[in-house]
Amino acid sequence: TTSRSGDITTDADGIEDAKVCVQSYNGYAVVYSDKDINSIRVYDVAGRKIYDAADLNASQYRIDLPTGVYVMQLMVDGDEIMQKMIIK
């Protein structure tokens, strides 16, 4: 059974009418956007880059992560969004 631990939706500064949603589940997160997600980088709380995916050009993307607190750096339609997330 998968339980959803939180939804985060943001109207990102500098991205006109963009909607980005990060949903975290047990062991993974899914990023949804109404504009193209160009790349995703994930950092742990110590600032170490633990995940890097480029040239995605997708409206949704799944990331498998262990339990923890992370900062996600998204490039959406050429603009940067930073988002904190918790994986339980």
Side-chain angles (χ1 to χ4, degrees), residues 2 5 9 13 26 36 38-39 46 48-49 58 63 65 67 79:
T2 301
S5 63
T9 304
D13 291 337
N26 290 336
D36 279 345
N38 307 119
S39 66
R48 294 179 298 243
K49 182 169 48 174
I63 305 166
L65 294 166
T67 300
D79 292 303

Side-chain angles (χ1 to χ4, degrees), residues 22-81:
V22 178
Q23 294 179 329
S24 59
Y25 299 88
N26 290 336
Y28 68 96
V30 180
V31 181
Y32 302 93
S33 176
D34 65 343
K35 298 195 183 249
D36 279 345
I37 302 166
N38 307 119
S39 66
I40 298 174
R41 289 189 179 113
V42 179
Y43 300 89
D44 65 12
V45 293
R48 294 179 298 243
K49 182 169 48 174
I50 60 164
Y51 190 87
D52 192 358
D55 299 321
L56 301 176
N57 299 319
S59 61
Q60 72 179 40
Y61 193 77
R62 177 185 164 141
I63 305 166
D64 294 317
L65 294 166
T67 300
V69 178
Y70 302 96
V71 174
M72 181 182 295
Q73 178 185 31
L74 304 166
M75 290 299 291
V76 177
D77 201 30
D79 292 303
E80 182 181 87
I81 299 170

